[in-house]
Every structure is written in C-alpha cells, then in structure tokens.
Amino acid sequence: MSAAHPLHALYSHHHGWLQSWLRRRLGCADDAADLAQDTFVRLLARPTAIAPDAMREPRAYLTTVARGLLVDFWRRGELERAYLADLALQPEVLQPSPEERLAAVQMLHAVDALLQGLTPKTRAAWLMNRLDGLTHAEIAERLQVSVPRVRQYLANAMRHAYHLRFGGAA
C-alpha cells in the first residue's frame, strides 16, 4: 500500500488506538491485534475508496467496522464453545481427532455465516428444507406463504451460499 493510498494515513494515525480500544473490550492483546488487522483488511478489500466521512471522523468509522468484527468474533467463540461442550459429553471412543474437530468448527462457522446473512423467513425455509426435510408445500403452509415464495426463499439461500463460497455475483 503506497503512502498516497487513503488507508495508509488512516492506518498510521489510528492503528495503535484501534488496537488498544479492541484490547480493552477483549482482554487479550493477541485477539485485539488480529481484529485490528482484520479491520484494515476489510477496509482494503472494499471496492470503493475510503469514505470521506472516515477522514472527518476516523475513529468512529473504524469502531463501526471493528464492532461488526467483534460481534462475529464473539458469535464464533460461543458457537465453538457450545460444540466443544457437546463433545465433552461424548464418550472418548466417539471423540473426533483434532483435524476432524477443526474441520467441524470451520463448517459450523461457514453455516453460521450463511444463516446470519439470510432474512428470518429465508433462514426458516432453508432450515425446514435442509434439516427437517419438509417439502415446499409443507414449508409454505408453516410460513403462511405461497409455494413460489418458498422457492424464492430457497433460491435466495442458495445464491447467498454460492456468494459466500465463491464470491462475486451468483
């Protein structure tokens, strides 16, 4: 990143402050450092230049982005703790290997990202279809919508999943 890039000045002037802000909320310097970097990586990945408002209120801009990453971080942590607590209840013979455990946690994070990006009715339709094996007509009856609307919900869920997996427009 060149010194002329708008993110360069934002990073050089506010990275330390953002990392301290995150450390106070997380209680862990390593996680704070990771999330501070993730904040700037997210900004760098945006297709548009840094918003002019960011230059007027850079800390407010950075905390808005960082808060979203904090919520994701905490949600992933809760998901992982719930999975590990459930595993602890299983007999040792059924315990997965560390590699299988990591793969399961990564899959849980991927499914969580999918579900978080869906509207409530789309999420409900997808879960009823995938987990409960309900037909489109059964889902329509439960959600009190038409069958074509259920098809639309499921298509939206698939588009979102495709976008998460492969990026770009589906």
Side-chain angles (χ1 to χ4, degrees), residues 39-168:
T39 299
F40 286 100
V41 167
R42 177 152 303 170
L43 295 178
L44 190 59
R46 289 189 175 167
T48 58
I50 301 301
D53 290 344
M55 295 306 146
R56 284 190 293 252
E57 296 292 338
R59 290 184 177 182
Y61 185 71
L62 290 170
T63 55
T64 298
V65 175
R67 274 192 187 104
L69 292 170
L70 270 172
V71 168
D72 291 344
F73 177 82
W74 286 325
R75 190 177 59 244
R76 284 191 313 268
E78 287 175 20
L79 189 63
E80 191 167 338
R81 282 187 294 281
Y83 171 69
L84 295 175
D86 189 53
L87 276 183
L89 300 175
Q90 301 299 319
E92 191 172 327
V93 148
L94 298 177
Q95 293 289 322
S97 69
E99 295 83 11
E100 292 169 326
R101 189 175 300 177
L102 177 63
V105 167
Q106 289 172 337
M107 181 58 69
L108 285 171
H109 290 183
V111 170
D112 181 58
L114 169 70
L115 293 175
Q116 292 302 316
L118 300 176
T119 66
K121 283 198 174 182
T122 300
R123 183 180 316 120
W126 188 84
L127 290 170
M128 286 180 208
N129 180 258
R130 297 299 172 160
L131 296 182
D132 300 331
L134 298 182
T135 66
H136 294 182
E138 292 167 328
I139 295 167
E141 184 179 323
R142 289 192 184 183
L143 294 179
Q144 299 179 342
V145 298
S146 66
V147 171
R149 176 66 71 188
V150 169
R151 288 188 187 115
Q152 184 181 36
Y153 290 152
L154 296 175
N156 289 343
M158 292 304 293
R159 246 188 314 282
H160 182 63
Y162 182 91
H163 176 73
L164 288 175
R165 175 66 175 94
F166 300 107

Side-chain angles (χ1 to χ4, degrees), residues 7-63:
L7 193 57
H8 183 272
L10 196 61
Y11 184 90
S12 62
H13 290 106
H14 300 287
H15 177 266
W17 171 84
L18 180 62
Q19 192 168 335
S20 295
W21 184 86
L22 287 163
R23 186 175 32 249
R24 285 190 304 275
R25 276 143 189 82
L26 292 167
C28 176
D30 293 335
D31 289 340
D34 288 345
L35 285 178
Q37 280 308 111
D38 289 348
T39 299
F40 286 100
V41 167
R42 177 152 303 170
L43 295 178
L44 190 59
R46 289 189 175 167
T48 58
I50 301 301
D53 290 344
M55 295 306 146
R56 284 190 293 252
E57 296 292 338
R59 290 184 177 182
Y61 185 71
L62 290 170
T63 55

